[in-house]
Each structure stands twice: as C-alpha cells, then as structure tokens.
Amino acid sequence: MGKTQHPGPQKKAKLPAPKYWVSPIPFGLGKIKPQHIRDTMKIAWDNKDNIGYATRIITKGVCDGCALGVSGLYDQTLDGPHVCTTRLNVLRLNTMPAIQPEILHADIDELRKYDSTELRKLGRIPYPMIRRKGERKFSRITWDDAMDLIAEKMKKLDPKQYAFYLTARGITNESYYVAAKVARFLGTNHIDNASRICHAPSKTALKRSIGVGASTSNYLDWIGTDVLLFWGSVASNSSPVSSKYMLEAKKKGTKIIVVNPYREPAMDQYWIPSNPESALFGTKIADDFYQVNIGGDIAFMHGIMKHWFDMEEKAYGSAINHEFVEGHVNGYEELKEKVQDQSWEDIIESSGVSKVRIIELAELLANSKNAVYAWALGLTMHSFATDNISQVANLALLRGHLGRKHAGLMPFRGHSSVQGSGEMGADPFVLPGGGWDEKNVERMEKLWGFDLPNWQGDIVGVTLENIVLPEDHERKVKLYYLSGGNFLETMPDPDFIEQALSKLEIRVHQDIILNTSTLVDAKEAVIVLPAKTRYEQEGGGTSTSTERMVYFSPEITGNKNMIEEARAEWKIYIELAKRVKPETAQLVDFADGQAIREEIAKANPDYHGIQHLKKQGDVFQWGGAWLCEDGICPTPDGRGTLIPVDIPDLNKKPEQFIITSRRGKQFNSMVYKEVDPLNGAGRYDVLMSPVDGQKLSIAEGEGIVVYNGFGVFQGTAKFVDIAQGNLEVHFPEGNYLLPRGRYEKFAGIPDYNITVNVEKAERYNARKDTQYLEKPIADLETEVG
C-alpha cells in the first residue's frame, strides 16, 4: 500500500466563534499581552535602511525562525498569509549592515561591556578576523590566511583533538550535510548540533518506541482531532503561527489540553495578530491545564495508564485499543505489570496531581478516537528525557493513536531545520540515512569514497569537558570549530564553560554576528569568519520543518547592506578540506547547492525528492503524511514497542524546590525584550506559587536568593499560577544553578532541572556573613529591579 500524501493547505473556517473570545474589549486593552501591531511597526522601523530586501525575505524566503516551515507568507496547513513576531524579530540579522570598524577593533574589554543583545545589534561580522594570545583587539585577516592557520593547526592535531559544532540559526540542510561529510573526511567524529540541547531525546525515544525519530503526524492533524495534548510546551510563544492552527482546531471541536507546572498565560489566552477575530477579541486556547510537578510527568502518565487498566478490569476494550496492540505492538504484558506495580500514593506524590484529576484525563483519552500528543522542552531537558517521551509513546500505542489522520506523536521543535541536522549526519551517533551500524557505514563509505573514522565521537557537553583534560590525553580537544552558537548562554555552569573555551588552543567562530563567547580568550588564537545567511546562499538552500516538510528557500538578491566578504557556510567547509587534505579533497567538493541535493537524495533515502527542489515554493514531505501508517512501524518486525519506565527519584528534600528554566520574549538564547509581554516578568524574576511565598514569609516583588551546591541566583519573587514546590527562572540567566556533567543517558542532553533552596535575600546575606561556607560561591552580579 502506498504512502498517503499530504493534501496541502486547507481553508480556514469563515464564521467567528465568540465562545472562544477572551474579552469583548477590542485588542485586550488593559491586559498584559503582546503588543503585536506596535512591535511590527518597530521592526519595520529597525529595517528601514534595507526595507526592500527585508520585504523580499518575508515574501520569498523560508522562515529562519521556528520549525513550522512557512515559505514566503504561506505554509502547508492553512491557506492565507502567515507572519509572526518571532520571524520579524530574527529579520534584522539578515538585513543589518556591518559593525562599525571603530567598535569592532576597540579594546577587547570595551567589547566585553556589551551583552549578547547589544552585540547582536551592533551589526554583522564584515570580514575574517583574528585575535592572537596577548592581543587586545581583533585585527583583519584575509580569508586565505585564516583558512591556512586553521588547516595548519588541524594537520598537527590528532583528529580526536578537534571538533565541530553547528547551531540552528538558519543553517540549511546543504550546510549540515557538507559539514558532516567534511568532518568525517578530516578524520573526526566529534561533530554535534543544537538539537543536543533541545530535542535529541525525542529522537532516541521515538527510535526505540516506534523505529523512527521524527514527528509521525502533521499540523493538519491538529484540526479536528478529538484531543490535542501539549506537554511542557508553550507553542504560542515559541511558534506563534501555531496558535492559528489551534483556533481552527477548536472551531472543529478539538479539546486542547496543556500539561505544564505553570499555567502559561500564552497557552491560556492569546491574541493572534494575523487572524482579525483573534487580534480583536483574543482566543481562549487551552480547555484545561494539568499542573504537574517538574519531573512528575512519568508518574502522571503511569496514573493515566493505571486507570486504563482498572477500566479494562470492568469492561474489556473500554480503554485499550486491543486490535491495534495485538496487531502492531510488543511488550504489552511487561508494561501492564510495571504500571500496576505503581501505587497511587507514589503517582500522586511525584506528579503533584490528584487522583480525581488524573482519572478525568485518562477517561477523556480513553473515549477519544483520535489524539495528537505534542511536546517540547518541558519533557526533553531532563536527565530521564528519553523515558519521558517513551512514556508518551506508550499512551499513544495503547490507544492506537498513531499512523493515521488526526493521530500521532509530535516533538514540537523550535528551530527552522534543526530537524535536518541529524538527518544530514551532523551528529556523533548518526550518518545520513541511518546510524553507525556496520551496514550503513559500509554504504556511506562506498558513496563518499573514503573510510570513516571507526571510533565514537563525543556530544557537545563532553567535548567541552574534554578541553580541560591533561595535555597528553588523546581526546584533549585543542581546536573547536563553531558554526554559530553561544555555549556561555546555552550550557549549564557558564563559569566552567568560559574557562573551557579559554583553554582551547584555537577557537573558530563562523557566524554572522558577534556574541559573548566570541570575546573569550584562547591560548593561541580566536579566528572569526563571516558567514552568509540562509537567504544569501548561492543557488538557495533547503530546510526541514517539524512535520518533515523539506522546503526550498531561494537565494534572495538586492541586499543593500551586503557583506562582501561573507561566504556560504558549506563553501567554507569545503575550502577547509582542500587545505587540510588537498590530495583527496575532490571527494568532498561540490560545484553548487544542486550537486549537494543530488547527493543528499542518495545518502539519505528518506530525502529522495530533495533533488527536485529548485525554486521558491518547492516542497516535499519525506515519509508521506503519516509515519507508521496503518500501525506499521519502520522496525525489524514492523511493530512498535511499549517501554516500561520507572518514576524518577529527584532527591528532593521536603524544604527544597525543583527549578526549571523558561523562555521569555526570546528566540533560543537571543533575548528580544527585558520584560515578558505575556506575564510581565523581568529577566531576574523567579516565578513561584503565592502559597510557597506565604510559607517562607516572602512578599511579591521582594528580593530572594535561589541557591544550591552549584551556584547562586539573586532575583525577585513573582507570584504566578504554578504548582507548589516548583520554580521557574529565565534561560540563560538561571544557568548558574545548573551542574555540568549531568547528561541524559540515551541522548546526552544536559539536565536543565535541579533542586534548590530559597531564602529572603536579607536573611541569606546575613547568614552568609556569619557562617563559614565550605564552598564559597561567587554571587551572580545582577541589578534587580
């Protein structure tokens, strides 16, 4: 049976739905909410020096913001134009002029006075630069000299001593693919990408549960499914266009359920700017919130399944889809035994949700023919993330919510084309089209024409730790080649990260802008290379959305602020290969983007079709409309597997809190507003329950200290509707509380959740003055207020 193809965009419902309005007062006047129209006017003003080019990017390019995949102003879900503030905020990165030379070549301490937001606003990197040991300023250097320096260093090092990293900022599939190929050609498997710090566990979990690490369904499946369940996701903030899909889903009768410790205002009420009805009156998005404890999701899902098995005792088939399970699923009895072993006491304590409420959701799902399960960083950024997501897969498999219209599993990704990074092989565990198994290695060696290094490469966190290994260690990383990214603001323990980055002999930053990590010293030299944006890449490029749509984004001409010396990222990698191994570099050379796409189609069979994408609007979806269609999974026996998992022990003492991080008005670590327009929180506000505040005699707006054995965070108490015992701070400001070296055992994502203590600032500081602390912790210097 052939794969069902995606039908393309659907028409929106014509009639308004007043029952979902937030308020009859137009534009939510007087409420804390985003000012979309005002923000859009400001962005237009910021781009006024290059407005023609900015307009062409919006109308012709594939969005380099979130992973929904809007091509020009259109997508594959709903007809009509779409644009959002996330995309508009990122726009200036593509249109701005070069940094002024007097700022760029100022004393390094002058540059270090800027934070990343200020550095971003200075403009683009105009030409290659170097700052050698002891030098106070960046100096201009030619491309040839820069590439020779990097190549000479690589020739002297063992390939285990250098590494590559690629971020998710607008990088195309072509660049990911060439980087993956060049790294292996040069002899290293140390190559990693930004999904390691967001959705890597989604891939590992889905791979073991259903045999494929990608979303099985489409956004279209949201519209008309019985239940759309968002787990640890603020979709309306990270991917605002998705709120349009939610409104359409509600009009078709879909119930939207949010599982999250904090009743996120943007998932409760949202004003969708490009929908006139919602822009005026707002939309009530969630039908219900389940405020689970941070780390309590596995227990919560055990509770749902426990009630399902109780329902089955009374009436066979009332909760489990036995026909689907018998035909398509392994491990039923083992999972049932594991679930029935859990006590309700443990489930309630870990999840923080009452038995009555858990039963309520269990019965809703049991009575739903269809459901789409979507999740984001609330499930992935844990030390047990793969288990979290396999537990979601368990729910879908038991109900048969897989492989058909209006049903499926969806990791809700945050970055355009980060889905493609692993599928192109820019990952230490995979190659294009598969893993590091003997058969795939042999296939790729034949296609590429050279032997692959036969040792396991390291993930980004371990690579950073390997920089500080003893001098003679064979894995001591001495050169790190970074395409974008700022580890100072994305990894736990920023003090250690800064120390590690400064211990590298050579650090290469291939980027479009400076960030705080670019300014850290290195033992020999920091080399900065100006990259082209996605829209400047000769011959265009492709990106892969959350729903596996591969879009072609054309080269967009007419940039008034053109950076003459910037180069396409994939071309820089080839240039490097030619200098390190000139005698065989023809093996990794490509004439143009089309030649790369031709090879990608051979390297990753799922991507057969990418070679036909040549002009604006060209798109195809790998895998068809649904993966695991008709319940048949891409596993050796064609069946999915139920994975029994344990309730994690968070080692939390009664007086402690669990803390996690959240985004404000930002795109990954790029902050666009100091105050979150969705809840009025500042960057150093600590979100907590008023009940917890009362217990600790803390008043709203009072200075507090959040601390543990790893770090100290000084902030201000902000009372919100969050589950008791749970706190949220902004990312990256709160990363000082996170320990390094705690990785998820399957996917290697760092753990972004930790136990902490909370005290009034005055009490903490008074106590600190009188008590000798075994491990003095440097205060985080922040201005609060």
Side-chain angles (χ1 to χ4, degrees):
M1 185 178 161
K3 288 182 183 141
T4 304
Q5 294 305 305
H6 191 285
Q10 306 295 293
K11 285 187 165 50
K12 293 195 281 288
K14 288 198 169 61
L15 293 173
K19 66 176 175 176
Y20 301 126
W21 291 359
V22 174
S23 160
I25 301 166
F27 302 108
L29 294 172
K31 291 183 177 284
I32 295 175
K33 64 177 279 292
Q35 304 297 325
H36 291 120
I37 295 164
R38 197 173 67 196
D39 290 350
T40 304
M41 299 305 286
K42 185 185 175 302
I43 288 156
W45 180 256
D46 289 344
N47 288 279
K48 66 183 182 297
D49 62 339
N50 208 352
I51 200 76
Y53 187 62
T55 306
R56 283 195 291 282
I57 286 174
I58 294 290
T59 54
K60 291 185 162 67
V62 171
C63 175
D64 56 346
C66 81
L68 289 184
V70 178
S71 173
L73 290 169
Y74 301 91
D75 67 13
Q76 295 297 306
T77 305
L78 292 173
D79 61 5
H82 312 293
V83 71
C84 77
T85 47
T86 298
R87 186 177 185 187
L88 294 175
N89 279 326
V90 181
L91 181 61
R92 189 60 179 154
L93 294 177
N94 303 288
T95 67
M96 61 190 175
I99 303 170
Q100 296 294 330
E102 62 273 20
I103 297 175
L104 187 60
H105 299 291
D107 186 275
I108 195 71
D109 284 340
E110 287 301 307
L111 280 173
R112 285 175 181 153
K113 288 175 184 170
Y114 295 101
D115 62 24
S116 282
T117 303
E118 292 162 335
L119 286 168
R120 179 177 79 236
K121 289 177 178 172
L122 291 177
R124 285 179 62 180
I125 298 162
Y127 36 68
M129 301 188 299
I130 189 164
R131 191 167 69 86
R132 294 178 181 84
K133 188 188 175 185
E135 290 180 347
R136 302 293 311 155
K137 300 172 183 180
F138 281 111
S139 51
R140 189 170 181 170
I141 186 175
T142 66
W143 268 103
D144 281 344
D145 287 349
M147 298 310 287
D148 283 344
L149 271 165
I150 302 163
E152 286 311 311
K153 186 69 180 175
M154 282 186 164
K155 285 180 191 171
K156 289 178 189 151
L157 296 175
D158 182 304
K160 290 193 176 92
Q161 295 182 319
Y162 51 81
F164 292 90
Y165 173 82
L166 292 93
T167 188
R169 55 122 183 87
I171 292 184
T172 57
N173 286 322
E174 291 79 0
S175 291
Y176 284 128
Y177 181 80
V178 173
K181 186 177 183 182
V182 165
R184 272 57 183 245
F185 170 75
L186 296 177
T188 189
N189 276 331
H190 296 324
I191 179 167
D192 209 353
N193 67 77
S195 74
R196 185 73 50 216
I197 34 190
C198 62
H199 265 289
S202 299
K203 192 169 158 182
T204 50
L206 291 176
K207 204 102 175 123
R208 71 176 184 171
S209 292
I210 58 168
V212 62
S215 172
T216 69
S217 53
N218 307 290
Y219 302 120
L220 261 185
D221 294 316
W222 293 11
I223 301 167
T225 185
D226 298 321
V227 178
L228 172 55
L229 200 57
F230 282 106
W231 223 292
S233 164
V234 193
S236 48
N237 188 27
S238 58
S239 304
V241 172
S242 70
S243 54
K244 270 187 159 175
Y245 312 158
M246 294 180 220
L247 176 55
E248 290 304 308
K250 290 179 80 73
K251 286 182 174 181
K252 288 267 177 79
T254 298
K255 267 196 163 41
I256 296 179
I257 308 289
V258 178
V259 183
N260 205 45
Y262 173 31
R263 191 182 177 99
E264 283 279 359
M267 292 302 281
D268 195 7
Q269 305 176 345
Y270 197 74
W271 282 257
I272 305 164
S274 53
N275 179 294
E277 175 191 0
S278 181
L280 273 172
F281 305 114
T283 299
K284 291 176 187 161
I285 290 183
D287 290 279
D288 208 346
F289 277 87
Y290 287 85
Q291 290 178 265
V292 70
N293 282 332
I294 297 162
D297 306 279
I298 285 173
F300 182 57
M301 289 184 262
H302 271 313
I304 291 169
M305 292 188 279
K306 191 172 178 68
H307 185 64
W308 284 354
F309 291 124
D310 289 346
M311 289 169 72
E312 286 291 318
E313 296 290 307
K314 295 185 185 118
Y316 180 83
S318 58
I320 307 295
N321 182 337
H322 292 285
E323 188 188 344
F324 186 88
V325 170
E326 281 156 24
H328 303 290
V329 182
N330 298 323
Y332 178 75
E333 291 304 330
E334 294 85 340
L335 178 75
K336 185 177 176 182
E337 190 182 328
K338 168 66 77 178
V339 171
Q340 289 181 322
D341 278 351
Q342 312 299 317
S343 73
W344 274 111
E345 290 74 25
D346 289 349
I347 287 168
I348 293 158
E349 189 191 353
S350 174
S351 70
V353 182
S354 70
K355 184 176 177 181
V356 173
R357 290 280 282 148
I358 295 173
I359 287 173
E360 201 178 88
L361 183 56
E363 292 187 348
L364 174 67
L365 289 170
N367 295 320
S368 297
K369 180 174 178 256
N370 298 311
V372 175
Y373 304 79
W375 65 90
L377 308 186
L379 286 192
T380 63
M381 295 178 106
H382 288 271
S383 57
F384 40 85
T386 298
D387 284 351
N388 270 345
I389 293 146
S390 279
Q391 187 82 321
V392 179
N394 289 341
L395 296 179
L397 289 168
L398 287 172
R399 289 289 306 124
H401 291 154
L402 186 72
R404 56 191 167 79
K405 193 175 182 178
H406 295 149
L409 293 160
M410 180 178 277
F412 197 72
R413 288 183 172 274
H415 288 96
S416 174
S417 206
V418 72
Q419 178 71 39
S421 57
E423 290 163 357
M424 297 299 105
D427 180 304
F429 303 112
V430 301
L431 289 164
W436 269 91
D437 53 284
E438 202 178 322
K439 200 171 157 191
N440 200 40
V441 168
E442 202 176 301
R443 183 181 72 88
M444 289 309 299
E445 286 182 336
K446 200 170 167 188
L447 176 68
W448 282 351
F450 56 84
D451 291 342
L452 299 179
N454 63 353
W455 46 272
Q456 178 59 55
D458 286 326
I459 56 171
V460 54
V462 173
T463 298
L464 286 162
E465 287 172 30
N466 286 354
I467 298 166
V468 298
L469 285 170
E471 199 53 45
D472 55 353
H473 197 287
E474 68 156 4
R475 278 193 181 230
K476 182 179 176 69
V477 171
K478 296 181 178 181
L479 182 151
Y480 210 165
Y481 194 114
L482 310 165
S483 273
N486 182 356
F487 298 139
L488 290 179
E489 294 183 4
T490 51
M491 296 298 286
D493 195 354
D495 288 337
F496 168 76
I497 299 300
E498 184 165 6
Q499 180 200 345
L501 292 176
S502 68
K503 293 262 164 66
L504 285 158
E505 291 177 8
I506 287 191
R507 208 173 62 248
V508 182
H509 292 268
Q510 178 173 304
D511 213 334
I512 53 180
I513 51 170
L514 297 177
N515 65 48
T516 50
S517 71
T518 328
L519 311 179
V520 174
D521 293 335
K523 280 163 93 175
E524 291 174 17
V526 177
I527 296 170
V528 180
L529 304 174
K532 288 195 170 187
T533 69
R534 160 182 298 189
Y535 308 116
E536 294 166 336
Q537 186 173 296
E538 291 89 343
T542 60
S543 66
T544 309
S545 77
T546 290
E547 57 181 355
R548 298 172 281 103
M549 292 281 178
V550 186
Y551 289 91
F552 182 80
S553 189
E555 180 183 355
I556 296 171
T557 55
N559 184 357
K560 274 190 185 169
N561 292 328
M562 189 77 178
I563 305 296
E564 296 298 336
E565 289 200 42
R567 292 187 179 178
E569 307 229 22
W570 62 263
K571 290 192 169 184
I572 308 173
Y573 287 114
I574 292 170
E575 191 57 41
L576 180 65
K578 285 178 175 174
R579 286 164 197 260
V580 181
K581 290 186 166 180
E583 58 291 341
T584 51
Q586 76 279 2
L587 296 170
V588 293
D589 200 3
F590 291 99
D592 53 25
Q594 183 57 34
I596 305 171
R597 290 187 285 280
E598 300 280 352
E599 189 170 297
I600 290 171
K602 295 176 192 156
N604 187 338
D606 284 336
Y607 274 73
H608 186 80
I610 195 172
Q611 70 275 35
H612 306 310
L613 307 183
K614 293 180 181 174
K615 63 182 190 308
Q616 187 203 335
D618 285 356
V619 58
F620 84 99
Q621 184 180 35
W622 73 256
W626 307 292
L627 300 183
C628 307
E629 189 165 355
D630 301 323
I632 297 156
C633 294
T635 53
D637 62 0
R639 296 165 74 89
T641 302
L642 294 163
I643 312 266
V645 297
D646 292 311
I647 293 176
D649 179 5
L650 303 178
N651 299 313
K652 176 179 169 284
K653 299 189 179 83
E655 73 280 4
Q656 287 183 316
F657 291 80
I658 297 277
I659 199 163
T660 194
S661 57
R662 77 185 285 276
R663 307 309 200 248
K665 195 64 189 168
Q666 63 197 96
F667 182 62
N668 195 9
S669 62
M670 290 196 287
V671 177
Y672 285 99
K673 274 204 169 71
E674 288 302 309
V675 174
D676 186 343
L678 300 166
N679 64 359
R683 301 299 304 178
Y684 289 93
D685 278 344
V686 179
L687 306 189
M688 68 190 303
S689 159
V691 180
D692 288 328
Q694 210 173 356
K695 281 183 197 162
L696 295 169
S697 306
I698 289 168
E700 181 154 31
E702 188 173 2
I704 59 172
V705 177
V706 181
Y707 64 97
N708 57 20
F710 306 106
V712 173
F713 181 87
Q714 300 195 44
T716 309
K718 182 170 177 65
F719 295 160
V720 296
D721 188 351
I722 190 172
Q724 287 176 46
N726 298 269
L727 303 174
E728 293 197 13
V729 290
H730 281 106
F731 165 103
E733 287 83 351
N735 287 358
Y736 284 87
L737 294 164
L738 303 171
R740 71 174 184 273
R742 279 180 30 157
Y743 303 111
E744 201 271 346
K745 62 178 182 283
F746 300 103
I749 191 170
D751 189 358
Y752 286 86
N753 306 270
I754 192 75
T755 52
V756 292
N757 293 80
V758 176
E759 278 184 42
K760 284 170 168 285
E762 57 192 48
R763 182 173 182 272
Y764 174 84
N765 289 318
R767 194 171 52 79
K768 201 175 67 166
D769 288 344
T770 57
Q771 289 181 5
Y772 171 70
L773 291 178
E774 286 275 318
K775 181 183 175 197
I777 301 161
D779 283 357
L780 190 58
E781 294 297 329
T782 61
E783 284 181 25
V784 176

